[in-house]
Amino acid sequence: MSDRARGVGTDSPPCDLSDADTAHPAELRRLLEASTDPHSRAVVLTGPPGIGKTTLLDQVARRVGTSGGRVLRAGGSPAEADLPFATLHQLLRPVAGVISELPARQRTALQAAFGSGTPGDPPDPMLIGVAVLTLLSDLATGAPVLVLLDDAQWADHASLDVLAFVARRNGDDPVSMAIATGEPAALPGVDGHWTTLELAPLERPAAERLLDRLPRPPAGETRTRVLDQGEGNPLALVELARTAGSDAGPWTSGNPLPIAARLERRWIGRLNGLEPAARQWLLVLALAADDPAETVLTLLPGPADPMWTALEGAGLIDRTGSRVSFRHPLVRSAVYQAASFDERRAAHHALASALAEDPDRRAWHLAAATTGADPEVAAALEDSAGRARRRGGYAAAARALERAAELSADRADRVRLIVAATDMAVMTGQLVWVERLAARTRAWTDEPTPLAVAALQTGRLMALTSSPTAAFQQLMSAARQLTTAHPEGALQALAAAAVVRFYSGAESQREEIGAALSDVLRAQSATSVPLLGRWLTAVADPREGAGLRAELAQLITAARQHPEQLHLLAIAAWILDETALAVRAFEASLALWSSAGPLPDGLGGVAALAHLEHGRVARAQAFCTELAAVADTYGLDHAAGCAAAVDALATAVRGDTANAHELAARALSLIDPAESRSVAVYAYRALGVSAAVTGNHEDAYACFRAAFGADGGPVHYHASVAALPELTAAAVRSGRHHQAADVVECTVRSGETHSVRARVLIHHSQALLADPDHAETHFRAALTLSGPADRPFEHARILLDLAEWLRRRRRIAEARPLLHECHNVFRRLGARPWATRAEAELRASGAQIAAAEPAAFGELTPQQQQVVRLAALGRTNREIGESLFLSPRTVSSHLYRAFPKLGITSRTQLRDVLDAAVISCT
């Protein structure tokens, strides 16, 4: 610490009280309980200025500190709100040495976020979150850790994203968080994972006790006036009591202004009586960061200067040793409001000069001092945006680019910068902000290309967050605007629209995409359709795009060094029902992938679906975990719904019906089933499977029937057909044979049978519905077409249904090998309900059954099963945590609980247990 004044503190206590219990005893107890409750260790404390939020945080910090816990504390600052990870850096600075002990990838990501380390691609925001999760877990090994953030409304967006991620992923670690803010609705990531405590005004007896503890408690009529006009606000009560009848006169009763505004007025009145130099010093403090650089301190007098004593006596500042802080953030606000424009401008220029070695802060101070166009300041902000982007601070980059656009003299530069700002804002997931920036683009130019690019970016984000219909309209508008001027951009817009069409399943959208693609090809005078055009056709209309199927293997081989192309081809392969090829391409893509930003791909759930169909259930759930974590962090409801629906289906296959039902219900709550038919179908399939395995075939039929329209046709051109055998099985068991037959016939007539897999599903369904003379023909046709390596679960279900049909006709010798084969598949996949059915059929056929997998493995939670599988592969706790977005301690806790259930005592036994159980560890 310097021996000079040390900047602005955060929301300091409303009075010199040593014990906050006097003001808010009940809230203090609740805060302490919530911050130590293992089920709710993330607390947001809200209330108006002066209500005592910081005092409560102080008290909790003292309690935790005296009991041996570690407290990490930071405060949001207006001066640093646009600097990425500034709040997180402040929070972790006291334990910076621990960063060097993190795993290499996590250490590199966190160092990059803080602007250190080797420059490279922007760090993965999820990896930054995992790094902080691991760091806090390591710190909590010796003692509980309490993270406190004050004035969270002024914290930078990137830091809040990380803290929100930690709040969601913190499991068994004794790490708790409490943040104080006056604006909870504006905080990203503050959701159901946080317990909200709202501080109410003090009741009269508590207000009386507060006044009694002051050095000079008011009495008589003065006391009554203070109590009446203070309205239970601790800061207002103290300030009124301190100056009653002296500096600003009494407040009139019934004043329509809120307490905060009235307090600011009183402090402004005191500021007006100060010397100009003192006001300018306070203004420098108000505009500086909470812990200003040494060069900034040269602008202020030393701690021995009598000016500080006078300001302290005026109730404007507090001093602790050489540190000077504002008595309350409202004082800082009052200082700023009381200053003239020229005074503010001079202070910003002084700070910019003092911060020559800190280009980001310097750029923002110059911008604040600039009113007209200034190309040099705009360039400095654009450079700052580039640094923020490289650190993963997309919100900071967007704000810097937006301000640079405002300060640009050249119209073309202004438009270029506002479009770039929109591009960065998309990465924050804040649709309202993106739409506002796009509106500014429309206000500044009528050129089709920048307008269309802004519309394209807005539409892509809308597809992840809101109505697919609105997103589609936005994207098609962009495509039409770009058709002539920028055909490649038009193809990008149509590709994004095809993604929306996949989710919605709307037939009108297919037709509109096809017509627009024809226009683009005419504008290009193209003699052949480019690959992206063929891709988007396959996504939007697999029947029209089926010609791509024959070339997929060759194209994937040719793209082996290009992860983006591999990813697109993997999606096309899955939609064209080439599942094994899709999984191969996804894995090759992920091995090379370098994140282009934090948001998921538009079809983020397809990798999970492909792996699920391919029998890699644990891998599918890992993809769902990652997609859900990103979606939750950025508030992407549609992406979160997709992750939940696919995870529900995987969970139902494993027989965990309670969790499957919860996940499916969450998925349906996050989307509009009428607008996102594919996600709805996956969720209803999960509910149907859960009902079927418990023997509730009535409900199962109703759920599967939701995948088909009133006329019996598929509600979605790709997702619905997969539910057909499930629907027919439930129909047969619930006496709805004829209704199911109508659905099968309608599906055949709809033409959604463009792939071999679709024909397999049709034959399987027809076999379940057929009379005895024709059933076997359909079963055999389905098995002939079905690839056991492509979709093992679907193939094994055909085997099981055929084997049951054979055994009931006393063809037991033919049924046994089919039962053994499907039983092994179900056991390997962890599909317990179907394995149990196969075992029952085997026993009925008089066959010997191999030793079953440990029953306890199936009783583990899905996350525990994932941890066990990865541990069996030799992964360390930190490596497992990085893969599953868990802290090492949480991984350790999962293993600690799993070992006794599996009958083992060490990690070395895991592989043998899983191998013996024939459980896939991939």
Side-chain angles (χ1 to χ4, degrees):
M1 294 289 290
S2 166
D3 61 352
R4 304 182 66 81
R6 295 300 295 172
V8 184
T10 55
D11 185 8
S12 56
C15 53
D16 298 327
L17 299 176
S18 60
D19 190 348
D21 290 27
T22 306
H24 295 287
E27 287 79 0
L28 176 62
R29 286 194 299 272
R30 290 178 64 198
L31 183 57
L32 285 166
E33 291 168 359
S35 63
T36 56
D37 182 351
H39 301 293
S40 177
R41 288 201 296 255
V43 184
V44 56
L45 192 63
T46 70
I51 203 66
K53 300 184 294 294
T54 300
T55 304
L56 281 182
L57 293 186
D58 289 340
Q59 185 67 7
V60 171
R62 282 194 293 270
R63 297 281 184 91
V64 171
T66 54
S67 64
R70 183 193 290 270
V71 179
L72 300 176
R73 188 164 186 174
S77 165
E80 295 187 335
D82 293 313
L83 300 177
F85 300 106
T87 302
L88 186 66
H89 184 267
Q90 181 190 159
L91 191 73
L92 299 181
R93 185 169 51 189
V95 293
V98 182
I99 295 176
S100 63
E101 301 172 10
L102 291 172
R105 292 181 66 237
Q106 297 179 32
R107 179 177 67 249
T108 300
L110 195 53
Q111 288 173 340
F114 291 157
S116 58
T118 305
D121 292 329
D124 184 347
M126 301 301 293
L127 197 54
I128 295 172
V130 172
V132 175
L133 192 64
T134 302
L135 185 149
L136 295 175
S137 178
D138 290 347
L139 288 175
T141 300
V145 173
L146 173 64
V147 176
L148 297 179
L149 174 60
D150 209 352
D151 293 324
Q153 70 274 11
W154 291 328
D156 66 276
H157 191 286
S159 295
L160 287 173
D161 283 342
V162 172
L163 294 180
F165 174 88
V166 172
R168 283 189 296 272
R169 307 305 297 178
N170 185 40
D172 295 307
D173 298 282
V175 175
S176 54
M177 289 191 290
I179 64 175
T181 177
E183 306 171 24
L187 297 181
V190 175
D191 52 22
H193 292 85
W194 296 78
T195 298
T196 300
L197 296 180
E198 183 174 0
L199 295 188
L202 302 182
E203 295 184 358
R204 193 79 169 201
E208 294 266 15
R209 291 194 296 271
L210 177 62
L211 294 181
D212 288 339
R213 299 195 61 188
L214 295 176
R216 291 185 293 278
E221 292 184 7
T222 299
R223 183 184 184 93
T224 300
R225 189 169 64 247
V226 166
L227 289 168
D228 288 343
Q229 297 175 10
E231 299 179 7
N233 183 289
L235 179 62
L237 290 166
V238 172
E239 288 299 315
L240 282 168
R242 175 191 179 99
T243 59
S246 60
D247 71 339
W251 288 346
T252 58
S253 61
N255 194 319
L257 290 177
I259 289 286
R262 284 182 271 166
L263 285 169
E264 280 192 10
R265 283 190 173 187
R266 292 178 72 84
W267 280 316
I268 288 173
R270 296 181 211 171
L271 290 165
N272 290 336
L274 296 176
E275 294 292 326
R279 290 203 305 270
Q280 194 67 11
W281 292 333
L282 287 176
L283 184 58
V284 168
L285 276 179
L287 298 176
D290 285 354
D291 191 10
E294 295 293 329
T295 51
V296 172
L297 299 179
T298 61
L299 303 174
L300 303 171
D305 192 292
M307 184 270 289
W308 296 120
T309 303
L311 293 176
E312 187 176 21
L316 299 172
I317 63 168
D318 286 324
R319 289 196 294 174
T320 304
S322 61
R323 180 178 175 82
V324 177
S325 61
F326 283 116
R327 187 170 181 80
H328 190 274
L330 287 177
V331 179
R332 172 161 48 191
S333 177
V335 168
Y336 186 81
Q337 295 297 329
S340 67
F341 171 76
D342 288 339
E343 289 172 332
R344 295 176 196 168
R345 187 175 185 180
H348 279 298
H349 273 302
L351 284 163
S353 299
L355 290 167
E357 301 302 317
D358 191 338
D360 294 324
R361 287 183 173 85
R362 178 179 179 275
W364 276 108
H365 282 297
L366 287 174
T370 304
T371 55
D374 192 319
E376 291 185 6
V377 177
L381 284 169
E382 187 173 4
D383 289 343
S384 179
R387 287 186 291 272
R389 184 192 63 79
R390 288 190 292 275
R391 294 166 61 184
Y394 298 99
R399 291 192 182 95
L401 288 166
E402 182 180 13
R403 183 62 177 138
E406 294 168 348
L407 298 177
S408 293
D410 182 76
R411 179 176 176 273
D413 274 346
R414 187 184 310 127
V415 173
R416 174 182 62 82
L417 289 167
I418 202 66
V419 170
T422 308
D423 190 31
M424 288 295 101
V426 165
M427 298 298 183
T428 70
Q430 297 185 57
L431 181 58
V432 173
W433 186 13
V434 171
E435 290 177 327
R436 180 175 63 79
L437 291 172
R440 300 195 77 173
T441 304
R442 292 192 295 272
W444 287 352
T445 185
D446 56 3
E447 295 179 14
T449 299
L451 289 173
V453 170
L456 171 59
Q457 297 291 43
T458 305
R460 281 174 168 164
L461 183 56
M462 290 172 72
L464 295 169
T465 57
S466 60
S467 163
T469 299
F472 184 81
Q473 293 169 349
Q474 185 85 8
L475 291 165
M476 292 305 297
S477 173
R480 285 189 288 270
Q481 291 173 355
L482 290 167
T483 294
T484 302
H486 189 7
E488 291 183 3
L491 279 178
Q492 293 286 343
L494 289 177
V499 170
V500 178
R501 147 70 175 163
F502 175 82
Y503 284 122
S504 74
E507 183 66 12
S508 60
Q509 293 179 357
R510 178 191 66 80
E511 296 169 353
E512 195 170 345
I513 289 171
L517 179 59
S518 297
D519 292 341
V520 172
L521 295 176
R522 280 196 297 271
Q524 284 184 310
S525 299
T527 57
S528 62
V529 182
L531 180 59
L532 184 59
R534 297 175 70 194
W535 178 88
L536 70 89
T537 299
V539 171
D541 187 357
R543 290 174 296 182
E544 287 293 320
L548 184 61
R549 182 183 290 110
E551 301 176 49
L552 281 171
Q554 182 180 352
L555 290 170
I556 288 170
T557 300
R560 59 184 178 274
Q561 297 301 321
H562 303 283
E564 294 85 357
Q565 291 183 28
L566 282 170
H567 187 74
L568 287 176
L569 291 168
I571 291 171
W574 177 78
I575 287 178
L576 294 173
D577 290 328
E578 297 294 331
T579 306
L581 199 55
V583 168
R584 192 184 95 194
F586 274 126
E587 292 299 325
S589 170
L590 291 169
L592 300 170
W593 192 261
S594 177
S595 175
L599 299 191
D601 172 78
L603 287 172
V606 167
L609 284 163
H611 283 78
L612 177 59
E613 289 177 3
H614 197 50
R616 305 181 68 179
V617 185
R619 184 75 164 135
Q621 290 187 297
F623 279 117
C624 291
T625 298
E626 181 174 355
L627 177 59
V630 175
D632 286 346
T633 296
Y634 293 97
L636 311 176
D637 284 353
H638 193 272
C642 181
V646 179
D647 201 3
L649 192 53
T651 303
V653 166
R654 291 195 180 280
D656 185 355
T657 56
N659 280 327
H661 194 281
E662 182 178 338
L663 285 164
R666 171 170 165 75
L668 292 170
S669 73
L670 291 170
I671 60 137
D672 181 347
E675 289 208 350
S676 188
R677 295 178 181 89
S678 60
V679 176
V681 168
Y682 302 136
Y684 284 126
R685 280 188 64 198
L687 293 172
V689 170
S690 297
V693 300
T694 58
N696 188 346
H697 301 296
E698 294 278 348
D699 285 355
Y701 176 82
C703 292
F704 295 133
R705 187 61 180 79
F708 301 87
D711 63 352
V715 300
H716 189 272
Y717 61 95
H718 188 274
S720 292
V721 181
L724 205 55
E726 297 163 333
L727 177 138
T728 53
V732 169
R733 289 170 171 81
S734 61
R736 290 183 172 84
H737 187 284
H738 294 296
Q739 293 95 318
D742 290 341
V743 173
V744 173
E745 181 60 28
C746 286
T747 302
V748 173
R749 288 201 306 268
S750 73
E752 306 296 353
T753 55
H754 56 85
S755 69
V756 172
R757 183 206 183 189
R759 294 198 293 275
V760 169
L761 295 166
I762 294 290
H763 277 302
H764 187 186
S765 302
Q766 290 172 331
L768 294 171
L769 295 169
D771 60 60
D773 293 334
H774 298 93
E776 186 171 4
T777 300
H778 287 296
F779 274 128
R780 298 296 181 186
L783 286 176
T784 300
L785 295 171
S786 175
D790 248 17
R791 287 171 291 276
F793 182 62
E794 285 184 8
H795 186 81
R797 285 193 306 175
I798 301 170
L799 291 172
L800 178 57
D801 286 338
L802 173 57
E804 288 179 337
W805 185 88
L806 290 169
R807 191 186 68 77
R808 281 158 179 73
R809 279 146 190 82
R810 303 188 182 280
R811 295 164 61 178
I812 294 174
E814 296 176 68
R816 281 177 184 164
L818 303 183
L819 289 169
H820 280 297
E821 183 180 349
C822 69
H823 182 233
N824 287 336
V825 172
F826 293 140
R827 286 176 55 193
R828 178 172 61 82
L829 300 180
R832 289 186 298 133
W834 286 268
T836 301
R837 268 181 61 191
E839 288 171 9
E841 288 293 324
L842 281 166
R843 291 191 185 95
S845 69
Q848 297 294 317
I849 304 174
E853 65 177 85
F857 186 86
E859 298 303 320
L860 300 179
T861 67
Q863 195 168 81
Q864 287 171 344
Q865 291 177 2
Q866 289 177 288
V867 168
V868 166
R869 287 188 176 90
L870 292 172
L873 292 174
R875 307 277 180 85
T876 66
N877 285 5
R878 288 192 172 199
E879 290 171 338
I880 297 170
E882 191 171 299
S883 297
L884 301 180
F885 306 109
L886 302 172
S887 74
R889 184 190 295 267
T890 299
V891 172
S892 178
S893 295
H894 282 323
L895 291 173
Y896 177 80
R897 295 187 181 105
F899 280 14
K901 294 179 181 179
L902 297 175
I904 61 176
T905 58
S906 71
R907 298 171 84 103
T908 58
Q909 298 172 278
L910 282 173
R911 193 60 179 264
D912 292 338
V913 168
L914 295 185
D915 284 347
V918 203
I919 296 293
S920 172
C921 295
T922 57

